[in-house]
Amino acid sequence: EIDHAQLSFAVASYFRTGEENQLRPGHFPSHQLSIGNDKVSLVKRLTIEGLVNETVSAVELSIRRDASFCTNVPLLISVFEKLMVDETSHSLLAWSSVYWLAFQDENLL
């Protein structure tokens, strides 16, 4: 995800005009990550964040990548390609994980 942010800032900086071309991230708020062993919660989160969000993101980026060919901006084309491949990989991992969990316990579905 850090790579995704860096690529996004590179694209934003490319299109920015003015004295300061290079955009940089501001303060990132602190957050917490909780890890448990509740399989039902895991499947719910994987469904929302992986099966839905990552899959939709991969499809959107595929459309954006295809549309970016009209821009003749190589940076834009390559960034959308990289992000699309990454999001597709994330989506496939989520689908594989839910499949594996369901194979372990069909009551999870």
Side-chain angles (χ1 to χ4, degrees):
E1 297 304 325
I2 291 172
D3 188 37
H4 291 191
Q6 290 171 333
L7 291 170
S8 298
F9 276 101
V11 169
S13 294
Y14 176 86
F15 288 106
R16 183 181 169 109
T17 58
E19 291 181 23
E20 179 73 28
N21 253 14
Q22 189 70 20
L23 293 174
R24 297 189 193 326
H27 174 72
F28 190 77
S30 63
H31 60 282
Q32 294 182 0
L33 173 67
S34 62
I35 299 174
N37 61 358
D38 177 14
K39 291 179 184 174
V40 172
S41 295
L42 177 59
V43 169
K44 285 180 183 177
R45 288 192 64 187
L46 277 170
T47 299
I48 294 167
E49 297 173 21
L51 305 188
V52 176
N53 293 349
E54 296 289 351
T55 302
V56 168
S57 180
V59 171
E60 286 179 350
L61 285 160
S62 174
I63 293 166
R64 291 176 192 270
R65 187 270 325 259
D66 290 351
S68 70
F69 285 109
C70 298
T71 68
N72 289 326
V73 178
L75 173 66
L76 196 57
I77 297 166
S78 66
V79 166
F80 283 141
E81 176 73 23
K82 166 84 170 107
L83 294 175
M84 180 197 67
V85 168
D86 288 351
E87 295 303 302
T88 301
S89 176
H90 300 164
S91 172
L92 291 172
L93 177 60
W95 282 96
S96 296
S97 298
V98 169
Y99 175 81
W100 180 82
L101 285 162
F103 184 76
Q104 301 301 311
D105 182 356
E106 65 185 30
N107 294 321
L108 291 173
L109 296 180

